[in-house]
Every structure is written in structure tokens, then in C-alpha cells.
Amino acid sequence: MVNARSRTPRADHRISGTPPVSARRPARAPAPAAALRPAGCRKSTTRERIIQERETGAPAPEPEATRRAAGVTESVRANRGWWDRNADEYQTEHGTFLGDDRFVWCPEGLDEVEAELLGPVEELKGKDVLEVGAGAAQCSRWLAAQGARPVALDLSHRQLQHALRIGGSFPLVCADAGALPFADGSFDLACSAYGALPFVADPRLVLREVHRVLRPGGRFVFSVTHPIRWAFPDEPGPEGLSVSASYFDRTPYVEQDEEGNAVYVEHHRTLGDRVRDVVTSGFRLVDLVEPEWPDWNTSEWGGWSPLRGHLIPGTAIFVCARD
């Protein structure tokens, strides 16, 4: 993503000290792993809304935004439902920025063509690559064009329907990132652009699973909202430049319905937490990239904007090696 994340896919519900909504897609729920193989799908050339079979009725009440505890199961259930309900709107709103076959790491617009965080482009050919939280599989499509053999995995069946719509010859897998349906040592590389990690209660479950399915010498690169953003309001303008909450408050951000059931959950980890999660899961941290906002990018993506991007980091990208 970004299914980037950051495309800020959420509705604009804010509370005092509301953290930034992540730019990409959420974790995968513990549903049965179902492989969807796109056979003969056409290439999408427009941002038209298709796959709109849902019945339209009275709009659901606006969820309540709060900060409260949310465990593994509740987070998975809420985020799978949120992405299934909002995938169409997300792809319509952010599809042009993401493209059909670009590898964009973040709302800042950092592209893997220039960044080469997975390694030199010419060395991707023939590599088995797992994309975690793939959304419409834009990154996997770019990887396939470089000669890699990607597998695009996402929690949301609806997001993967958009991947089918755009097309591609690689496998699509609907599964939980905390319980990957692959044998040990199945991949050379893994990547996640705002996928899974911001949305899971225990990111070590995902990291350990990715470590398990990578071969020795493999690499996992993932991007998330920069942790410092949780101390600021999720606003693109000047109001988003003043600290409004404790950076050290790790209480999850939750949107819940009238009965108190979570319908969207996002989890905060400090920068130190993220580093410890990586290391205790068996990885070696090779690099930590904080993309600067480029002058060419004049777009806003939720709380991401040129104003804030030139002053405070919005994305953190972790480059991890599996020795």
C-alpha cells in the first residue's frame, strides 16, 4: 500500500490527541487461508468504482473514537471488517497516487525504483517475494514486472478483489499475517508498505512469522506511521504541529459502534518498541529510513501534508535482515 497505508483510509473521526491513521492496510484476520489466483484479469486503466454489489441502505451511525485496550482477536476482527467495507472508497481515493503497478512505500511518495530497499532492481529477478498487507497488490505487480515471483497476502477479501480487477499472474492469498500459510523458508524477500504492523496488537507475532517463512540471508522491509506522529493531532494543517498527547501513551486508538464493539483499531509502538520487536523476533536491523517530504509532492493524505512533512517525519521504514 501504500496501500499506505498511508492513504488515510479511515473516516475523519477525531478525539483529543487522536493519533495518525495509518497510510496502508490492516493486519490479516485469522480466517481460513484462501488463495485467489487472478486468471485473465484485465488491466485497469481508470479509477472507476467497480465491484459495487453491496446493497445501499440507511447509513450506519458514526462510530465513537476513543483510546482503550484492544487485544489480538478484537483488533483482527475489527480491521478485517473495516477494510472489507472501505476497500472500494480507498482504492477510488488513493488509486491514482498508488498507480496499478508502482511500489510506493509511503505518503511521502518514496518509490522502490529509487530507494532499492529490497536490493538492486536488477537482482530481483527470480526472487520469491511475499507482500504482507498487499491491498490491491500494486507493489507485487511492480515486483512481477522486474522478474520476481511475488505472492500478495492481505486480510481483506475485498482488497484482493481489487487486485483481481487490476490483474496479474501472481497468487493472491487471503490470510492472517500472524499465521502465515506457508512453509518455513519459502521466500527470499518480504515487504509491507503500511500493511499489518500498525494494526496488530502484538507485532512480534507477524515479525516471527515473516522470519520463519524467509530463507537465511533474506530481507524484510516494512513501513509504518512514524511513532512521533502519535503525539500530534491527525491534522494536515497548522493545528497538526502542536503536541497534544504523550508519545509514550501506548493505548490503542479504537473506533467502536454503539454497543462498544471495535470497528477499527490502530496500535502505537514507540521507536524503541519497534526496534526491540524487530531484534527479539530474530532479525538484524540494517537500516531505519525516515523519508523526507519531496518538493514535487503537493498532495495531502489524511494527516500527511507538505506543511507537516517538511517539519516532522511521517513514516519510518525498517530494513531487516534474516541471518
Side-chain angles (χ1 to χ4, degrees):
M1 208 210 181
V2 191
N3 240 330
R5 316 252 336 139
S6 283
R7 319 147 205 116
T8 306
R10 300 175 43 256
D12 194 13
H13 312 312
R14 294 186 171 84
I15 56 177
S16 177
T18 294
V21 174
S22 187
R24 206 170 168 94
R25 48 225 84 196
R28 17 243 49 47
L36 305 174
R37 298 188 181 271
C41 296
R42 68 177 178 85
K43 173 81 171 178
S44 171
T45 56
T46 64
R47 289 291 119 208
E48 80 277 20
R49 288 184 185 229
I50 61 179
I51 325 177
Q52 286 282 7
E53 319 91 7
R54 287 192 183 79
E55 297 180 1
T56 57
E62 290 293 318
E64 174 195 8
T66 186
R67 301 286 293 271
R68 67 166 176 82
V72 172
T73 302
E74 183 179 28
S75 298
V76 159
R77 183 190 306 116
N79 288 325
R80 176 175 50 186
W82 194 95
W83 282 107
D84 279 344
R85 292 189 302 273
N86 290 276
D88 295 351
E89 180 180 358
Y90 177 87
Q91 293 299 332
T92 298
E93 181 177 357
H94 299 293
T96 299
F97 181 85
L98 296 173
D100 287 343
D101 51 7
R102 292 179 61 205
F103 196 134
V104 182
W105 282 108
C106 51
E108 289 86 350
L110 183 66
D111 198 303
E112 179 62 10
V113 171
E114 289 84 29
E116 295 191 336
L117 299 179
L118 291 172
V121 173
E122 61 271 16
E123 294 181 11
L124 294 174
K125 185 175 182 179
K127 295 289 181 66
D128 296 308
V129 187
L130 173 64
E131 183 184 5
V132 179
Q138 288 95 337
C139 299
S140 287
R141 213 165 280 109
W142 179 86
L143 287 163
Q146 314 314 311
R149 295 188 293 266
V151 173
L153 180 143
D154 202 278
L155 163 72
S156 168
H157 183 266
R158 193 67 165 184
Q159 286 280 43
L160 294 176
Q161 285 184 297
H162 283 281
L164 285 170
R165 164 177 64 83
I166 298 171
S169 58
F170 48 86
L172 308 177
V173 178
C174 188
D176 181 356
L180 296 173
F182 308 109
D184 296 359
S186 295
F187 299 95
D188 301 299
L189 299 167
C191 57
S192 182
Y194 277 82
L197 278 306
F199 308 94
V200 295
D202 187 352
R204 293 167 298 182
L205 297 177
V206 176
L207 289 164
R208 289 167 183 164
E209 275 294 271
V210 173
H211 185 276
R212 179 183 65 80
V213 302
L214 279 175
R215 296 167 185 142
R219 173 174 286 201
F220 179 37
V221 184
F222 67 92
S223 60
V224 294
T225 301
H226 197 290
I228 194 61
R229 286 292 180 102
W230 280 70
F232 295 84
D234 187 25
E235 298 286 351
E239 61 273 33
L241 296 175
S242 298
V243 171
S244 61
S246 171
Y247 168 76
F248 300 101
D249 182 0
R250 297 167 176 82
T251 307
Y253 170 81
V254 177
E255 292 177 6
Q256 57 188 17
D257 62 21
E258 293 175 315
E259 298 179 352
N261 299 309
V263 296
Y264 178 90
V265 181
E266 195 165 335
H267 294 267
H268 172 46
R269 307 287 284 170
T270 67
L271 202 58
D273 292 338
R274 291 284 184 203
V275 171
R276 283 185 289 274
D277 289 344
V278 166
V279 173
T280 59
S281 298
F283 286 102
R284 175 170 52 88
L285 185 62
V286 175
D287 198 0
L288 172 55
V289 181
E290 299 167 295
E292 296 185 39
W293 196 276
D295 291 336
W296 62 261
N297 189 351
T298 59
S299 62
E300 291 186 0
W301 186 319
W304 283 262
S305 67
L307 173 65
R308 299 179 81 204
H310 285 302
L311 297 172
I312 55 175
T315 296
I317 307 176
F318 295 79
V319 182
C320 314
R322 192 238 194 262
D323 295 326

